[in-house]
């Protein structure tokens, strides 16, 4: 039995959830997310909270998907309500970051500046020349964008 999958996902005020087969749509103050569920897992709305369960409780191979589905739905609810954020610091003499419209301009010691185009749904801010804030609703997309910037 999945310990994580058994926990209900509380739905905060201002967040609406729509369940359509194997897709959960979450709308909140920060935006909207659609999350596809893994096969064999069902999400139900019970007493103001989302509960995940396996279609076939006796099938032990679905336990890994049970916890995964609960985590994905919980991340979507948190994202549309609070949002996700990654903070990056640039360390190095002469290294700096600035915003040019929606593009991040990085000066990292190469012979040319590096331009990073933010994907849809991601907001990048530079409070100072050595700080980068990556914000968004989708936890996976925020982490992936931060990792790509870090790779430069």
């Amino acid at each position: 039995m999945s310990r994580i999958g058994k926990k209900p996902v509380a739905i905060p005020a201002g967040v609406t959830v729509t369940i359509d087969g194997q897709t959960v749509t979450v709308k909140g103050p920060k935006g909207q997310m659609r999350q596809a569920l893994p096969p064999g897992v069902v999400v139900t709305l019970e007493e103001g909270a989302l509960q995940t369960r396996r279609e076939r409780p006796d099938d032990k191979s679905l336990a890994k998907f049970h916890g995964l589905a609960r985590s994905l739905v919980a991340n979507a609810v948190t994202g549309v309500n609070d949002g996700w954020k990654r903070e990056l610091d640039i360390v190095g003499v002469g290294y700096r970051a600035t915003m040019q419209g929606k593009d991040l301009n990085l000066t990292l010691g190469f012979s040319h500046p590096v331009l990073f185009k933010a994907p849809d749904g991601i907001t990048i801010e530079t409070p100072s020349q050595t700080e980068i804030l990556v914000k968004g609703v989708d936890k996976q997309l925020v982490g992936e964008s931060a990792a790509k910037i870090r790779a430069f």
Side-chain angles (χ1 to χ4, degrees):
M1 188 68 142
S2 173
R3 291 186 212 170
I4 294 172
K6 287 192 287 185
K7 295 180 183 178
V9 178
I11 301 172
V15 175
T16 59
V17 177
T18 307
I19 302 168
D20 182 31
Q22 289 296 103
T23 304
V24 177
T25 304
V26 185
K27 295 179 185 176
K30 298 266 185 187
Q32 174 180 342
M33 263 193 79
R34 291 174 50 96
Q35 183 61 58
L37 297 174
V41 178
V42 178
V43 175
T44 57
L45 187 59
E46 299 173 1
E47 301 171 5
L50 291 170
Q51 187 67 46
T52 59
R53 63 179 173 80
R54 291 185 252 174
E55 285 180 342
R56 296 180 308 279
D58 57 331
D59 191 356
K60 299 289 184 192
S61 66
L62 294 178
K64 58 188 169 196
F65 295 126
H66 186 199
L68 172 70
R70 191 256 179 217
S71 295
L72 291 174
V73 170
N75 288 341
V77 170
T78 303
V80 298
N81 192 41
D82 301 327
W84 295 100
K85 174 174 72 169
R86 292 280 190 265
E87 299 175 4
L88 302 172
D89 290 327
I90 300 174
V91 179
V93 177
Y95 292 4
R96 62 183 178 272
T98 56
M99 290 300 296
Q100 289 181 341
K102 292 186 177 184
D103 297 339
L104 178 66
N105 185 1
L106 299 166
T107 305
L108 302 172
F110 297 119
S111 62
H112 58 283
V114 177
L115 283 177
F116 178 77
K117 295 186 185 300
D120 292 337
I122 295 295
T123 304
I124 300 176
E125 300 173 4
T126 53
S128 71
Q129 289 185 347
T130 60
E131 292 180 76
I132 302 170
L133 294 176
V134 182
K135 296 180 182 181
V137 174
D138 188 354
K139 183 178 183 179
Q140 182 178 351
L141 191 57
V142 169
E144 187 178 328
S145 298
K148 286 180 181 177
I149 293 169
R150 190 179 300 125
F152 290 129

